[in-house]
């Protein structure tokens, strides 16, 4: 084993959290490297890892520490679409100063709160050079021996359906040994979860906009850890540079590290939002909420006028403000009749979201409309038209990766859409990186192996529960996740188990209980939820489930971890005004025990309603809960506490 050099080194600076439990230790090696490590409650969470970056004109990987300034800050802001509505806590900002052997200056800024560390490189304009092209970062993350990993591999670029990857849709591998090679040899996508002997660490990044690329982690190197890597050259069909560039003075995005002895700080962290600012103010008041969506169960064939009317009527019956019309509407409904459809929808109290491909010169997508969102002139005209016909949002699909060029496209779409009062959901895309606070009209990203896969393969249905228990601790802990879930069909097709004309039963078979599915409406979070409910569920699903789906909020005032481990179970509580909603799901044979009274008293509530499974049926129970609710594999429960 390679001994970290730093064992012999004295710290040049120790940067502490407001409560003093978390600290970042900076060390200087004799060969001018700067290492950092993270301790929490006296235990090592990150072992010495490297800092620095290499610019095309200046190497900032060799550094000498010259000093630090610090300032206590009060984090206090409102957030209207994820995790919590008011965020208030203390933090400390540190500016650590360094110089290169040539005398060039570099600052590393640190934002440290009680369970979070964020840092970024800030480069002054200390010569005539007015910009930097960052060739690579030395930033790395290393962990103590015995750490296991919960990681999602980065895909090859330009593979998969219509050459649309990478799009953050690979399988997480849970509890893998530290250093295990990634599935495709391209490392791992953010967020990355680690279980160290002392607790949990979530590593990610935030504040990525048009001025940088999205990053990932390379495969593990002994003695170095997981080094931060830029996008692959093949992404975006080879267009655009891998290396980001920005004007000086300027800063990189923030890299974030959340630590805890248990998973509560991971589930509850707001670090992705704490260190960013809104990039523009909107003159529109965006209203978040629930939506129906025909494509998920009825697929491409449903993109016609009559089926969309059925789904608009369904939204209206459910009291949902939105209906999402997916691909091919321009061909199968037409631009004139979509105006008529929008008018019809509004007469029923429903507004439309319309689907677009992002393409582009980076995939083979024929799903239409194409070539509008990638074209600045066409995009602005289209958005003005959308606004004029009362459409409230767009879902833009199939982006080309994480290069700076693509980040610029995301930002341009958001900014132009806001000019026309349109909300934006991204699909086939990258993860959000602080965008919930940065862009007032951003309302979600897929960037997860989402509900569509349950339609495509039985295997996905078989492992639905396992996947679902991972997301609250990793993907959805970082930001909005547009999963498109809560399926109440037993069979995932239009006939829902009725024989087709050829006598066969179609569709994949759902393995989870109804209680499980409605619990995911609490556990998975996105401010606009395109649920996978179908109109037939008004007749064939339990009334208690449909009633819950009418009421469940999509935005929350507070979020709490109650119990669970990724790939095994998840129990998450979210507060809306004075009501707590608790979602519980279980993926393993071992029964999950939900003590209603204990959870209610933990949250300071006295009245409880539970939706759970008894003898294979969803029931609604209220009053005294004398014994805990038992949740078996593929089952779930919902508590509503007042
Ligand atoms: Ca997708």
């Amino acid at each position: 084993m390679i001994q970290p050099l730093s064992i012999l080194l004295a710290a040049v600076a120790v940067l502490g959290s407001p409560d003093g439990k978390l600290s970042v230790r900076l060390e200087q090696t004799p060969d001018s490297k700067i290492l950092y490590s993270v301790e929490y409650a006296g235990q090592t969470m990150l072992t010495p890892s490297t800092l620095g970056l290499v610019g095309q004109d200046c190497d900032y990987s060799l550094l000498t520490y010259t000093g630090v300034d610090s300032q206590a800050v009060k984090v206090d802001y409102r957030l209207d679409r994820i995790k919590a509505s008011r965020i208030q806590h203390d933090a400390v900002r540190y500016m650590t100063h360094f110089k290169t052997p040539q005398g060039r200056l570099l600052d590393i800024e640190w934002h440290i709160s009680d369970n979070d560390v964020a840092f970024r490189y800030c480069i002054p304009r200390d010569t005539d050079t007015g910009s930097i092209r960052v060739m690579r970062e030395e930033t790395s993350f290393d962990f103590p021996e015995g750490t296991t990993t919960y990681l999602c591999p980065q895909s090859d670029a330009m593979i998969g359906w219509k050459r649309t990857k990478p799009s953050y849709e690979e399988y997480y591998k849970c509890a893998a040994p530290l250093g295990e090679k990634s599935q495709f040899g391209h490392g791992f996508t953010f967020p990355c979860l680690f279980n160290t002997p002392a607790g949990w660490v979530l590593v990610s990044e935030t504040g990525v906009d048009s001025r940088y690329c999205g990053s990932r982690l390379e495969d593990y190197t002994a003695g170095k850890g997981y080094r931060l890597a830029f996008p692959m050259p093949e992404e975006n069909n080879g267009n655009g540079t891998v290396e980001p560039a920005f004007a000086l003075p300027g800063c990189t995005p923030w890299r974030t590290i959340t630590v805890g002895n248990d998973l509560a700080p991971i589930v509850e962290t707001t670090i992705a939002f704490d260190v960013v600012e809104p990039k523009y103010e909107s003159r529109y008041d965006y209203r978040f909420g629930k939506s129906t969506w025909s494509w998920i169960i009825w697929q491409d064939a449903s993109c016609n006028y009559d089926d969309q009317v059925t789904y608009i009527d369904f939204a209206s019956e459910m009291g949902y403000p939105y209906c999402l019309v997916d691909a091919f509407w321009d061909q199968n409904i037409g631009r004139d009749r979509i105006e008529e459809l929008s008018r019809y929808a509004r007469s029923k109290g429903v507004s439309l979201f319309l689907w677009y491909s992002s393409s582009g010169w980076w995939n083979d997508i024929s799903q239409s409309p194409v070539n509008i969102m990638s074209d600045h002139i066409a995009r602005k005209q289209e958005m003005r038209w959308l606004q004029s016909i009362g459409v409230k949002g767009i879902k833009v699909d199939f982006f080309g990766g994480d290069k700076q060029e693509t980040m610029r496209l995301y930002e341009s779409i958001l900014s132009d859409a806001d000019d026309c009062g349109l909300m934006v959901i991204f699909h086939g895309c990258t993860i959000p990186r602080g965008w919930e606070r940065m862009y007032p009209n951003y309302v979600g990203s897929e960037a997860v192996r989402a509900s569509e896969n349950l339609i495509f393969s039985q295997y996905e249905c078989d492992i639905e529960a396992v996947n679902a228990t991972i997301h609250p601790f990793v993907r959805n802990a970082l930001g909005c996740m547009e999963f498109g879930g809560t399926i109440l069909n037993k069979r995932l097709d239009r006939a829902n188990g009725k024989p087709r004309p050829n006598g066969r039963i179609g569709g994949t078979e759902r393995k989870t209980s109804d209680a499980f599915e409605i619990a995911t409406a609490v556990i998975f979070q996105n401010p606009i939820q395109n649920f996978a409910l179908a109109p037939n569920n008004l007749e064939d699903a339990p009334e208690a489930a449909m009633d819950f789906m009418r009421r469940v909020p999509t935005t929350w005032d507070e979020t709490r971890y109650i119990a669970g481990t990724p790939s095994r179970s998840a129990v998450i509580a979210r507060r809306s005004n004075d009501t707590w909603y608790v979602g519980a799901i279980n993926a393993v044979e071992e029964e999950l025990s939900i003590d209603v009274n204990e959870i209610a008293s933990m949250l300071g509530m006295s009245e409880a309603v539970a939706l759970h499974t008894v003898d294979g049926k969803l029931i609604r129970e209220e009053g005294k809960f004398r014994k805990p609710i038992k949740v078996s594999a593929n089952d779930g429960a919902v508590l509503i506490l007042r």
Side-chain angles (χ1 to χ4, degrees):
M1 186 192 155
I2 300 169
Q3 281 294 334
L5 185 58
S6 63
I7 284 173
L8 310 166
L9 301 173
V12 290
V14 178
L15 317 176
S17 62
D19 70 355
K21 269 178 91 173
L22 186 159
S23 63
V24 175
R25 203 181 132 91
L26 294 181
E27 293 160 338
Q28 173 87 64
T29 72
D31 59 349
S32 298
K33 300 273 186 195
I34 297 292
L35 305 176
Y36 76 107
S37 53
V38 178
E39 265 191 23
Y40 182 70
Q43 310 265 11
T44 301
M45 305 304 274
L46 251 79
T47 54
S49 307
T50 47
L51 292 169
L53 52 83
V54 178
Q56 191 176 25
D57 304 313
C58 180
D59 183 347
Y60 296 98
S61 68
L62 298 179
L63 296 167
T64 302
Y65 173 82
T66 61
V68 59
D69 300 310
S70 69
Q71 189 187 4
V73 292
K74 292 250 178 247
V75 174
D76 186 354
Y77 62 97
R78 289 183 188 278
L79 193 60
D80 57 5
R81 74 202 75 178
I82 184 163
K83 287 197 183 188
S85 54
R86 178 86 187 262
I87 289 106
Q88 283 180 296
H89 57 255
D90 292 330
V92 189
R93 283 273 173 126
Y94 297 92
M95 192 64 92
T96 51
H97 309 295
F98 303 89
K99 67 171 197 283
T100 71
Q102 296 76 34
R104 299 287 296 274
L105 305 177
L106 175 84
D107 288 338
I108 304 179
E109 186 175 15
W110 303 81
H111 175 103
I112 304 182
S113 50
D114 288 345
N115 290 91
D116 297 290
V117 176
F119 65 92
R120 63 175 178 174
Y121 303 102
C122 296
I123 301 169
R125 183 166 176 168
D126 56 353
T127 67
D128 281 344
T129 307
S131 65
I132 181 170
R133 181 175 172 204
V134 182
M135 306 310 287
R136 66 164 203 272
E137 288 196 23
E138 289 299 319
T139 316
S140 78
F141 306 87
D142 203 359
F143 300 90
E145 214 175 320
T147 295
T148 57
T149 67
Y150 294 72
L151 302 174
C152 185
Q154 174 63 308
S155 156
D156 289 319
M158 303 304 292
I159 63 156
W161 194 69
K162 310 262 186 188
R163 297 194 300 156
T164 53
K165 289 193 178 197
S167 46
Y168 290 71
E169 294 180 327
E170 311 310 317
Y171 295 104
Y172 277 88
K173 187 154 185 203
C174 293
L178 186 72
E180 188 176 274
K181 283 265 170 272
S182 61
Q183 189 182 346
F184 304 98
H186 305 304
F188 306 95
T189 53
F190 286 132
C192 297
L193 182 66
F194 301 89
N195 188 9
T196 72
W200 294 86
V201 183
L202 187 73
V203 174
S204 194
E205 63 178 354
T206 190
V208 179
D209 60 12
S210 58
R211 296 169 309 153
Y212 217 79
C213 59
S215 300
R216 69 196 146 96
L217 296 185
E218 271 178 4
D219 269 329
Y220 188 84
T221 314
K224 275 216 140 174
Y226 294 92
R227 205 180 67 164
L228 190 114
F230 290 155
M232 303 170 287
E234 301 79 16
E235 288 177 38
N236 210 43
N237 205 10
N239 282 277
T241 61
V242 164
E243 302 87 8
F246 57 90
L248 299 180
C251 298
T252 66
W254 297 90
R255 305 290 144 54
T256 65
I257 302 162
T258 302
V259 300
N261 293 132
D262 62 19
L263 283 157
I266 309 296
V267 169
E268 297 164 18
T269 183
T270 53
I271 189 62
F273 323 115
D274 296 346
V275 292
V276 301
E277 293 283 341
K279 295 207 71 180
Y280 48 81
E281 236 178 84
S282 184
R283 56 200 168 93
Y284 296 98
D285 199 6
Y286 295 109
R287 183 179 163 212
F288 311 134
K290 292 167 278 195
S291 174
T292 59
W293 176 34
S294 75
W295 183 87
I296 187 63
I297 303 286
W298 289 14
Q299 298 277 284
D300 286 350
S302 70
C303 203
N304 63 71
Y305 193 92
D306 292 346
D307 284 349
Q308 293 311 312
V309 164
T310 303
Y311 266 78
I312 288 165
D313 292 345
F314 180 38
S316 176
E317 285 225 29
M318 293 298 289
Y320 289 9
Y322 300 112
C323 176
L324 165 62
V325 183
D326 219 283
F328 292 123
W329 58 265
D330 59 328
Q331 296 183 49
N332 298 352
I333 297 173
R335 302 177 81 85
D336 290 341
R337 291 205 81 201
I338 205 83
E339 290 195 34
E340 193 183 325
L341 190 71
S342 179
R343 251 195 320 276
Y344 174 75
R346 286 189 296 158
S347 77
K348 307 278 286 187
V350 176
S351 301
L352 300 184
F353 269 64
L354 297 187
W355 185 97
Y356 287 85
S357 170
S358 81
S359 62
W361 46 87
W362 45 83
N363 60 44
D364 305 322
I365 287 302
S366 54
Q367 267 67 11
S368 63
V370 294
N371 300 325
I372 295 176
M373 288 299 145
S374 55
D375 178 320
H376 195 193
I377 295 164
R379 179 171 73 223
K380 292 210 301 190
Q381 281 169 357
E382 185 81 355
M383 287 173 171
R384 284 197 287 269
W385 171 70
L386 290 172
Q387 183 175 33
S388 76
I389 65 167
V391 167
K392 291 294 180 199
I394 53 175
K395 167 182 170 179
V396 189
D397 211 337
F398 304 125
F399 285 83
D402 285 340
K403 288 178 180 173
Q404 184 173 13
E405 170 162 317
T406 309
M407 294 300 145
R408 215 174 277 139
L409 177 62
Y410 285 113
E411 185 170 273
S412 306
I413 290 172
L414 285 161
S415 167
D416 285 352
D418 183 61
D419 290 345
C420 297
L422 297 168
M423 292 179 273
V424 183
I425 291 174
F426 296 122
H427 256 240
C429 58
T430 197
I431 49 164
R433 292 165 164 94
W435 299 356
E436 294 82 348
R437 192 169 174 210
M438 289 159 67
Y439 305 108
N441 55 328
Y442 166 79
V443 290
S445 300
E446 183 187 35
V448 64
R449 205 168 175 84
S451 62
E452 59 193 21
N453 295 285
L454 302 166
I455 315 290
F456 301 153
S457 111
Q458 184 58 46
Y459 171 70
E460 300 283 342
C461 289
D462 297 344
I463 60 162
E464 180 181 356
V466 177
N467 272 333
T469 60
I470 300 170
H471 303 320
F473 307 113
V474 196
R475 169 63 184 84
N476 212 179
L478 158 106
C480 289
M481 182 178 83
E482 213 282 275
F483 187 85
T486 306
I487 297 164
L488 291 176
N489 271 21
K490 300 281 183 214
R491 285 270 175 181
L492 278 61
D493 76 347
R494 188 169 182 154
N496 192 19
K498 295 205 188 80
R500 289 172 173 175
N502 63 9
R504 289 232 191 93
I505 307 278
T508 51
E509 184 189 7
R510 177 160 64 89
K511 295 296 178 70
T512 58
S513 70
D514 294 337
F516 177 100
E517 291 295 320
I518 63 171
T520 64
V522 176
I523 289 176
F524 298 164
Q525 208 223 320
N526 202 65
I528 299 280
Q529 292 263 36
N530 291 302
F531 286 122
L533 302 174
N536 52 283
N537 297 146
L538 289 168
E539 277 84 51
D540 59 21
E543 180 46 35
M546 296 304 278
D547 182 55
F548 177 75
M549 293 307 295
R550 285 188 179 92
R551 292 159 191 259
V552 63
T554 64
T555 57
W556 306 94
D557 294 305
E558 211 178 325
T559 292
R560 293 261 199 99
Y561 167 77
I562 305 289
T565 319
S567 80
R568 296 183 60 81
S569 64
V571 186
I572 307 293
R574 299 190 196 273
R575 182 173 64 78
S576 169
N577 295 315
D578 51 6
T579 306
W580 281 95
Y581 291 74
V582 181
I585 52 175
N586 185 22
V588 294
E589 285 311 314
E590 190 188 324
E591 273 187 339
L592 175 67
S593 180
I594 302 294
D595 188 329
V596 181
N597 302 323
E598 193 186 309
I599 295 174
S601 84
M602 189 192 300
L603 298 170
M605 299 286 117
S606 54
E607 285 171 45
V609 171
L611 297 163
H612 64 111
T613 311
V614 175
D615 299 330
K617 283 209 154 51
L618 181 77
I619 65 143
R620 183 180 185 282
E621 191 183 347
E622 76 187 281
K624 300 259 174 286
F625 290 83
R626 292 208 167 75
K627 36 181 217 250
I629 292 171
K630 298 289 182 192
V631 178
S632 56
N634 295 323
D635 192 13
V638 168
L639 310 180
I640 302 157
L641 307 168
R642 286 193 179 84

